[in-house]
Amino acid sequence: MSTSAKFTNRLAQEKSPYLLQHQHNPVDWYAWGEAAFEKAKRENKPIFLSIGYSTCHWCHVMERESFESEEVADVLNKYFVSIKVDREERPDLDRVYMSYVQAVTGSGGWPMSVWLTPDLKPFFGGTYFPPTDRWGRPGFKTLLLKIAESWEKDRDTILAVSERAAYQLAEIANQMADTERVELTPAVFERAAASFAHSFDSPWGGFGGAPKFPRPVCLNFLFNYYHRSGDRQALDMALFTLRKMAAGGIHDHISVMGRGGGGFARYSTDRYWHVPHFEKMLYDNAQLAISYLEAYQLTGDAFYADVARDIFNYVQHDMTDPRGAFYSAEDADSRPTPDADHTAEGAFYVWEKAEIDRILGPEVSEIFCTLYGVQPEGNVENDPHHEFTRKNVLIQRFSLEELAQRFGKSVQELQHLLREAKAKLFEARLQRPRPHLDDKVLVSWNGLMISAFAKGFMILEEEAYLQAAQRAADFILNTLYQPTSHTLLRRYRDGEAGIEGKLDDYAFFVQGLLDLYEASLEPRYLSAAIGLTEKMQQLFEDTEHGGFFSSHAHDASIIVRMKEDHDGAEPSPNSIAVLNLLRLAQMTDRHSFFVSAQNTLKYFSQLLDKAPSYTPQMLVALSFYFQKPKQIILSGRLDDPDMMALRRTIYRPYLPNKIILHAAPELANQFEFLQNIVAHHSETPTAFVCIDYACQLPTHEAEVLARLLQS
């Protein structure tokens, strides 16, 4: 990434860290918008669209090789209108053009490179292109010149190709609207569990081979299925995967509670969870925190609780804005030394053995290096780009019990020794240049982390986690939310809120608000969730066929509105929306919420039936739909110690199919079924367990409540 100011283009006016990384390229970049479209039409030039994100390793490589080249820039500036898009700001655009690239090339990724006609229809695309012809790929400059020549000499063919591509994108977007609806039964859960068992990597955990993504949505389903069916294999696959990830190099082992470090990188390049691409994303850490919390609920094993605390420690200290919102990501690349003029992948995280020996001393270093697989020649076996020569990515090779036996020490002694060793290495690492921080605040990803902190408070009883969730939610409600219209903006950075909220912003933030309401029992969070859900229905719902579009109907720059269906590294916003709607239907007794959820499940029924492991988070919502959830209603003063005892009883067990309400007067005015409870019960803390608003006898006792919840 160039710091030279020889060139400054119009991206200098943008807020996206990714776009700002390109502000000094000689390329005459535009941001996505009317100015670029108008120029392309006026000059009758094709558009070169480059989509990436600020912590993307290969995006940095393509910038260094091509976008910083004056020779390449001359070609781009002469023959094309060049547009740069941050996929994290515009997931709706990314989804459209990624669908095109995957359709024509069979794969996708970032940076994404797509060529468009002036009316935004794609006619050629790919991902990373090297600067010169190599690896069986055309060089970027060669490709640009060929496309420019074709545009001049054979434009009619290109326009015909683009029309066909736009038609095919519309076909892809609408294919499920035309498919027959399938009657879903609980057998779909068994098929999904069997599919995960078939692809399970039994020696190393996870599903499939390299590269391996955490994909916590799979773990959500497996925990839910175990709770539903008692299938021990489902539980064991999820728990084993979580243990292997926590031991792996994908997990940052150098953390100090109260100071930072820790958390998880985006994915592993191998099947062993050993060598990651080192960028850390907020959305991964949010979802993984919940997976480890739920593992703790299901097992009572403090190991899982400790990993969740490690993630929260990382987010609180390294990823939190002073006003309480959460940042988006940290880069994979950083400078190896303060005076280095280049960046290297993982430079902040990898270690040479001699360095560890020097910091820890021979005795402690031997124990530490044995535990974490550190070798004098480095421990990265597959290193095609020679990035990790003599470097070690820490991976836990033994249990503490095995290590204790090997070195003749107690586990407690080793825990103390390792805590001190990590503190010393943490201090040493602080002297290194930190990776670039993408400090934009995205509502969608903040929603996921608000859920995680809210659940962290409920399960681990840490008040600081509740405060973290509330500060982030309040920041969004005060800065990116318009209470009169119930609309959201998507992104905040550097004092500016901007970009219309997308479906994932509404769905993920509503989920965060619902989890935060159940943790805090503050009615304002539930009220905001209701208003935002109504607005989500208004802006994004396909009332004819069912399901929710990713983008607004009024955005003319989106050539086709698509519906996200895949629960991948992030859950599909449709999956989260369904569960939100079902929870709210139970909380408010509002039939319109239930109908929206039901119509969405019907719309995706063919996909759920034929490829259930593609949509594991929607299966979690389907499970809620099939089972009548427990409605747990509390009345009485929240500051009474007996009320906290009742709440702990509700929060402690893994109970996915439940809702929690507090019969506060301001809610009783909105929900008729709460009025009797408020009217007839004193301030003594009381719990009611209901199904379909038919309640069992109330109780003041935590032990009785525990029995009612398990029955």
Side-chain angles (χ1 to χ4, degrees):
M1 288 161 285
S2 170
T3 55
S4 159
K6 181 180 177 185
F7 301 96
T8 300
N9 57 52
R10 59 182 59 75
L11 296 186
Q13 308 305 313
E14 296 298 317
K15 293 293 184 184
S16 157
Y18 176 60
L19 270 52
L20 289 170
Q21 284 172 351
H22 294 77
Q23 65 181 310
H24 296 306
N25 296 167
V27 177
D28 184 21
W29 288 115
Y30 282 77
W32 184 267
E34 281 305 318
F37 310 153
E38 197 275 325
K39 178 181 168 74
K41 287 172 184 165
R42 186 177 69 249
E43 299 181 8
N44 208 358
K45 287 180 177 176
I47 289 167
F48 168 61
L49 173 63
S50 176
I51 301 182
Y53 57 102
S54 81
T55 59
C56 159
H57 173 71
W58 285 100
C59 301
H60 302 333
V61 173
M62 192 163 174
E63 183 194 10
R64 274 197 306 273
E65 293 176 339
S66 294
F67 302 145
E68 290 182 356
S69 160
E70 292 181 44
E71 198 180 331
V72 170
D74 286 344
V75 177
L76 278 169
N77 297 344
K78 183 174 181 182
Y79 297 112
F80 300 90
V81 176
S82 300
I83 299 179
K84 183 60 83 170
V85 166
D86 183 340
R87 69 172 294 260
E88 294 168 356
E89 289 192 338
R90 293 300 306 263
D92 48 347
L93 283 175
D94 182 62
R95 174 94 170 101
V96 170
Y97 294 111
M98 183 61 77
S99 296
Y100 167 74
V101 168
Q102 287 173 328
V104 296
T105 70
S107 63
W110 299 277
M112 179 161 50
S113 306
V114 195
W115 284 262
L116 319 176
T117 62
D119 59 358
L120 310 180
K121 293 169 184 171
F123 62 85
F124 189 80
T127 54
Y128 163 81
F129 291 98
T132 54
D133 301 0
R134 63 175 191 244
W135 307 334
R137 292 169 180 250
F140 187 58
K141 185 182 169 190
T142 304
L143 191 61
L144 289 173
L145 290 169
K146 280 184 180 171
I147 291 171
E149 183 182 10
S150 297
W151 182 257
E152 284 304 309
K153 293 183 177 174
D154 200 10
R155 191 171 308 173
D156 288 347
T157 301
I158 288 179
L159 292 174
V161 166
S162 77
E163 288 296 330
R164 210 158 44 244
Y167 175 78
Q168 286 166 343
L169 279 172
E171 291 277 286
I172 291 168
N174 295 322
Q175 61 188 359
M176 267 186 285
D178 302 326
T179 58
E180 189 181 339
R181 303 299 180 251
V182 174
E183 188 68 38
L184 294 168
T185 71
V188 73
F189 304 124
E190 293 166 27
R191 291 201 301 280
S195 174
F196 283 121
H198 179 72
S199 64
F200 182 61
D201 183 352
S202 53
W204 291 98
F207 304 93
K212 239 182 215 172
F213 289 79
R215 207 176 166 215
V217 287
C218 305
L219 309 178
N220 295 351
F221 165 73
L222 291 169
F223 286 149
N224 191 285
Y225 181 67
Y226 165 71
H227 181 262
R228 180 187 183 88
S229 68
D231 181 343
R232 183 76 205 189
Q233 184 186 20
L235 178 66
D236 289 343
M237 286 191 295
L239 295 176
F240 185 73
T241 297
L242 287 170
R243 281 195 170 269
K244 283 296 186 184
M245 282 196 293
I250 193 172
H251 182 203
D252 177 8
H253 293 281
I254 303 302
S255 63
V256 175
M257 290 307 289
R259 297 197 59 199
F264 284 79
R266 182 165 161 255
Y267 68 95
S268 173
T269 60
D270 50 56
R271 64 177 285 213
Y272 317 110
W273 306 109
H274 182 198
V275 182
H277 266 317
F278 288 85
E279 68 263 42
K280 292 178 179 175
M281 315 301 292
L282 187 69
Y283 62 77
D284 281 321
N285 284 284
Q287 294 177 87
L288 283 168
I290 293 172
S291 294
Y292 282 99
L293 288 168
E294 291 183 343
Y296 173 62
Q297 281 183 303
L298 285 161
T299 64
D301 187 336
F303 166 81
Y304 300 107
D306 288 343
V307 181
R309 288 189 183 95
D310 169 89
I311 295 171
F312 290 140
N313 176 58
Y314 164 64
V315 173
Q316 285 173 304
H317 292 278
D318 295 349
M319 294 289 282
T320 302
D321 178 87
R323 293 169 64 186
F326 304 119
Y327 298 137
S328 292
E330 284 193 298
D331 209 327
D333 298 9
S334 57
R335 286 178 294 132
T337 60
D339 55 355
D341 62 356
H342 70 284
T343 60
E345 183 167 14
F348 187 69
Y349 299 102
V350 297
W351 300 87
E352 292 191 6
K353 185 175 185 303
E355 187 181 12
I356 295 174
D357 290 344
R358 188 178 69 251
I359 294 165
L360 300 183
E363 184 188 349
V364 174
S365 180
E366 187 188 359
I367 294 170
F368 185 90
C369 291
T370 300
L371 179 62
Y372 288 110
V374 175
Q375 304 289 336
E377 67 280 10
N379 70 358
V380 177
E381 290 176 13
N382 185 22
D383 185 17
H385 302 294
H386 308 292
E387 294 171 295
F388 302 114
T389 305
R390 301 185 66 80
K391 306 291 185 188
N392 291 273
V393 180
L394 304 183
I395 177 169
Q396 189 173 332
R397 296 295 193 191
F398 302 98
S399 70
L400 288 189
E401 289 74 17
E402 290 168 328
L403 199 69
Q405 201 170 3
R406 185 164 179 158
F407 285 95
K409 294 182 181 294
S410 70
V411 169
Q412 289 72 25
E413 280 179 287
L414 282 178
Q415 286 172 329
H416 176 72
L417 178 148
L418 290 167
R419 212 166 22 246
E420 290 198 333
K422 287 183 180 183
K424 288 179 181 176
L425 293 171
F426 181 85
E427 287 297 332
R429 198 170 75 172
L430 286 180
Q431 309 312 307
R432 301 174 178 178
R434 277 199 79 95
H436 153 74
L437 172 71
D438 188 318
D439 62 354
K440 69 177 178 287
V441 172
L442 294 174
V443 170
S444 57
W445 297 358
N446 270 253
L448 295 174
M449 189 52 79
I450 289 164
S451 284
F453 272 111
K455 287 175 183 280
F457 163 72
M458 290 190 273
I459 295 164
L460 302 179
E461 298 180 31
E462 290 273 358
E463 193 72 33
Y465 297 160
L466 179 62
Q467 291 166 3
Q470 287 178 309
R471 286 183 75 216
D474 291 347
F475 176 88
I476 291 168
L477 291 171
N478 293 330
T479 311
L480 291 140
Y481 171 61
Q482 175 49 254
T484 51
S485 62
H486 295 298
T487 49
L488 282 171
L489 292 173
R490 177 171 178 79
R491 183 265 291 135
Y492 176 89
R493 185 177 180 274
D494 191 25
E496 180 191 281
I499 305 174
E500 286 183 328
K502 312 303 174 193
L503 176 62
D504 62 340
D505 297 302
Y506 284 81
F508 296 178
F509 186 48
V510 166
Q511 177 182 254
L513 289 171
L514 292 177
D515 290 331
L516 181 51
Y517 168 71
E518 292 193 339
S520 67
L521 301 180
E522 287 195 27
R524 63 196 180 95
Y525 296 126
L526 180 55
S527 298
I530 293 167
L532 283 164
T533 299
E534 291 170 337
K535 179 55 79 170
M536 179 188 78
Q537 290 174 300
Q538 184 186 327
L539 291 173
F540 303 104
E541 188 170 12
D542 181 350
T543 51
E544 183 182 354
H545 300 108
F548 292 85
F549 295 108
S550 297
S551 56
H552 296 230
H554 62 251
D555 186 346
S557 74
I558 299 287
I559 60 169
V560 57
R561 292 177 85 196
M562 308 197 85
K563 293 176 189 168
E564 186 70 51
D565 53 22
H566 182 219
D567 294 315
E570 296 175 59
S572 158
N574 270 287
S575 299
I576 300 298
V578 172
L579 190 51
N580 292 342
L581 287 159
L582 291 171
R583 289 169 75 182
L584 280 167
Q586 290 288 329
M587 290 170 135
T588 65
D589 196 20
R590 196 174 297 179
H591 190 58
S592 61
F593 289 154
F594 179 79
V595 170
S596 280
Q598 188 174 51
N599 289 343
T600 304
L601 289 169
K602 283 180 182 174
Y603 178 83
F604 290 110
S605 60
Q606 183 96 220
L607 184 65
L608 285 162
D609 188 59
K610 297 283 189 290
S613 60
Y614 186 78
T615 55
Q617 188 61 40
M618 196 168 286
L619 293 179
V620 171
L622 184 66
S623 176
F624 194 100
Y625 174 78
F626 279 146
Q627 291 179 281
K628 290 189 183 295
K630 288 186 166 73
Q631 299 159 313
I632 306 163
I633 301 172
L634 297 167
S635 72
R637 285 175 44 191
L638 290 178
D639 58 359
D640 190 309
D642 291 340
M643 175 65 86
M644 201 60 230
L646 292 174
R647 289 168 71 182
R648 278 195 203 98
T649 304
I650 300 164
Y651 296 154
R652 195 175 297 124
Y654 177 78
L655 294 171
N657 296 325
K658 70 173 187 305
I659 59 104
I660 305 169
L661 281 171
H662 178 237
E666 52 262 68
L667 288 186
N669 293 337
Q670 296 179 59
F671 309 140
E672 192 177 329
F673 60 89
L674 290 181
Q675 287 170 9
N676 287 338
I677 291 171
V678 171
H680 294 106
H681 291 276
S682 68
E683 293 192 343
T684 304
T686 307
F688 302 77
V689 178
C690 317
I691 291 178
D692 271 351
Y693 311 101
C695 301
Q696 300 184 48
L697 289 173
T699 182
H700 311 300
E701 297 175 37
E703 297 79 9
V704 176
L705 176 59
R707 286 199 297 275
L708 291 172
L709 293 177
Q710 292 305 324
S711 64

